[in-house]
Amino acid sequence: MQYMKKVCSFTGYRPQKLNSCLAKGSMDMNALKEILKSEMKKMLDRDFMTFQCGMAVGGDLLFAEIALELKREYAPMPIRFVAVVPCLNHDKSWNEADRLRLREISEEADDIVLVSNSRYYDGCMAKRNRYLVDNCDELIAIFDGQRGGTMQTINYAKEKRRRITIIDPSKSVKITLIEPMEMRE
C-alpha cells in the first residue's frame, strides 16, 4: 500500500467513556468536533494527506466523518481516508444506526485495511491499534487519562517515538503535544 505524504492515525474513546470525558469539562460533542477538525486542518498544512482510524463507534467514527468532510472541502487535494478494521465482525454488538453509519463511512473510504481476516477474538483490537501506530507519522488522541485501549495505544506510540497530539475534553480542550526526543533537540 503506497501513501502520499504523511499519515495521521487516531485513537479515542467509545461512546460511554467519551460522554463521561465530555461531562467532566465544559464542552459538548460539537465543540469537540470543531477542535478535532481544527487540528486535522493544521495537519494538512504540515503535509499530512492520509488520515486513518480503527472504525470503532465513538471517537473513531467522529474522526472518520471529519476526515471525509475535509476530503470534500479541500478537493482536489489528494486527501485520503483509510478505514482500519480489526476483524470481520467487529460491529456485531452495535445497534443498527451505528452499523449504517459504519457502512456509509466505509463506502467513502479510499482504502479498507482488514487487520485480521477472522472473526472477533481477544486481542484483535490491540492488534489493530498497533497497526495504526506502526503505520503513521503522528497520532491524534481524545484522552483524559482513563485506562483502556486508548491509553495502551498512546503508550505504544510513545515506545515507537511517534508524535502525539492529545485532546483532553475534560480540561476544556487542553491540547498537549508529546514529541519524540529527537524532535525536541
Side-chain angles (χ1 to χ4, degrees):
M1 191 172 2
Q2 190 80 13
Y3 294 109
M4 294 178 61
K5 314 275 180 168
K6 296 181 198 169
V7 178
C8 170
S9 288
F10 173 84
T11 187
Y13 295 135
R14 304 266 168 75
Q16 185 176 359
K17 280 187 176 180
L18 185 56
N19 290 333
S20 167
C21 181
L22 287 168
K24 294 176 196 171
S26 61
M27 92 164 37
D28 62 11
M29 189 65 78
N30 289 328
L32 175 60
K33 180 179 178 179
E34 288 307 311
I35 294 294
L36 188 53
K37 188 173 184 177
S38 173
E39 286 304 306
M40 292 167 74
K41 282 181 177 181
K42 290 176 190 173
M43 295 184 90
L44 292 173
D45 292 336
R46 293 180 27 235
D47 223 16
F48 282 82
M49 290 291 144
T50 300
F51 296 91
Q52 60 185 12
C53 69
M55 302 302 283
V57 70
D60 282 10
L61 295 186
L62 177 66
F63 178 87
E65 289 169 340
I66 295 168
L68 293 171
E69 281 177 29
L70 292 174
K71 184 176 170 148
R72 288 186 291 272
E73 188 177 325
Y74 286 87
M77 280 177 73
I79 298 171
R80 297 175 45 85
F81 171 68
V82 179
V84 180
V85 180
C87 61
L88 293 174
N89 65 335
H90 86 284
D91 63 346
K92 68 180 179 178
S93 63
W94 294 16
N95 64 45
E96 194 52 42
D98 287 332
R99 282 191 182 136
L100 176 61
R101 192 172 163 211
L102 174 71
R103 279 193 297 275
E104 290 171 349
I105 291 168
S106 297
E107 286 172 4
E108 287 190 67
D110 294 289
D111 198 3
I112 297 175
V113 174
L114 183 61
V115 176
S116 178
N117 193 22
S118 66
R119 300 185 80 58
Y120 178 86
Y121 63 91
D122 197 26
C124 71
M125 301 299 181
K127 184 176 180 180
R128 178 222 35 216
N129 295 342
R130 287 189 304 273
Y131 176 92
L132 287 166
V133 171
D134 290 340
N135 293 281
C136 80
D137 298 288
E138 185 167 334
L139 181 72
I140 292 181
I142 296 175
F143 181 66
D144 70 344
Q146 295 180 63
R147 294 184 178 275
T150 300
M151 177 183 271
Q152 292 168 0
T153 305
I154 290 168
N155 288 338
Y156 184 68
K158 287 177 184 176
E159 287 175 29
K160 292 294 184 174
R161 304 180 69 72
R162 297 297 188 266
R163 182 175 173 155
I164 307 165
T165 300
I166 296 176
I167 302 171
D168 182 351
S170 72
K171 294 188 175 146
S172 301
V173 194
K174 180 182 178 193
I175 297 172
T176 306
L177 293 177
I178 301 171
E179 299 180 5
M181 291 301 277
E182 64 266 21
M183 294 179 82
R184 289 187 202 145
E185 296 172 356

